[in-house]
Amino acid sequence: MSLPLYGIDRDLARKIAGKYDPERERQARAWIETVLGESLPYDNFFDSLHDGIILCKLVDKVFPGQGRYNTSKLAFKQMENINKFLTAAGQLGCPSVDLFQTVDLYEKKSPGQVVDAIFSFARYAIKNGLDAPPLGPKVADKHEVHFTPEQLNRCKSVINTHQMGYTKGANQSGMSFGSRLEISGYDTSRRGK
């Protein structure tokens, strides 16, 4: 039996519960079962992840040999298993905002954040070579654009000659609208006519 929540605690609990999506949980569960080739041990998704063993098995799929786990029932050993997953997720490149704190899973404080972390882990594991079905949107590939020095100089001269700036007495607002902005095709010289 849990104690009733009041004030900010109640508001935070509602906000966390509002972020949880059972469909995303179902998708995460199906992805884990597909990658591991086994069913999760419990009907409750979070009970299956609670000791961190399943998460360590996922780590071992991405980083063979690094997913060793402890089967002890001691809380700190189970939390170490969970932390191995979080460390591996960081090594894959998962943004820290996508991850959860160990107690979020262990004490079931933020189930939505746990599911989000599974999605992020899946995306980055696949990007790093894991042969598995996609879970959520693909991570965007980096696209670098390289400009020649001539192109850069041309942009600098266009920007410098067409910046609108403050000039005293130009008009009532103090802004100069006399130049023509060729970058966007907007003719500021016709403004107000």
Side-chain angles (χ1 to χ4, degrees):
M1 184 174 154
S2 59
L3 297 172
L5 298 174
Y6 298 98
I8 194 167
D9 291 333
R10 182 182 59 216
D11 294 342
L12 287 173
R14 284 182 186 156
K15 186 174 182 180
I16 289 170
K19 292 172 103 179
Y20 177 71
D21 182 359
E23 175 58 23
R24 284 175 55 86
E25 176 195 310
R26 188 199 61 72
Q27 292 171 1
R29 179 185 193 100
W31 185 83
I32 291 170
E33 289 175 341
T34 301
V35 169
L36 297 181
E38 64 183 74
S39 295
L40 295 183
Y42 303 106
D43 289 337
N44 184 298
F45 183 63
F46 299 100
D47 288 345
S48 297
L49 302 180
H50 179 77
D51 60 10
I53 292 173
I54 295 294
L55 297 176
C56 285
K57 288 180 179 182
L58 284 175
V59 169
D60 202 50
K61 291 288 184 178
V62 179
F63 300 112
Q66 288 188 24
R68 291 182 299 268
Y69 53 86
N70 196 310
T71 57
S72 172
K73 299 295 181 198
L74 295 173
F76 77 94
K77 290 293 184 184
Q78 293 176 345
M79 286 190 213
E80 282 179 0
N81 289 342
I82 296 168
N83 194 50
K84 281 184 185 180
F85 170 80
L86 295 171
T87 301
Q91 290 173 345
L92 282 173
C94 294
S96 60
V97 297
D98 288 351
L99 301 179
F100 58 90
Q101 299 295 313
T102 303
V103 295
D104 290 341
L105 171 58
Y106 196 78
E107 296 178 4
K108 299 177 187 172
K109 287 187 172 193
S110 186
Q113 191 65 36
V114 173
V115 172
D116 288 349
I118 302 287
F119 270 72
S120 184
F121 182 87
R123 285 192 302 271
Y124 283 90
I126 291 167
K127 183 177 181 174
N128 284 286
L130 178 66
D131 184 24
L135 180 64
K138 178 185 170 202
V139 175
D141 294 324
K142 187 175 184 179
H143 177 75
E144 290 187 32
V145 178
H146 300 282
F147 295 101
T148 65
E150 180 184 275
Q151 289 171 319
L152 291 173
N153 286 334
R154 186 168 164 236
C155 284
K156 285 180 188 175
S157 66
V158 169
I159 290 171
N160 287 337
T161 59
H162 295 295
Q163 286 180 333
M164 291 188 294
Y166 178 79
T167 58
K168 289 185 180 179
N171 63 18
Q172 292 176 350
S173 67
M175 297 296 293
S176 171
F177 295 107
S179 66
R180 180 182 169 136
L181 291 177
E182 295 176 15
I183 296 171
S184 65
Y186 180 73
D187 186 358
T188 57
S189 63
R190 298 175 52 134
R191 184 180 175 121
K193 292 182 182 177

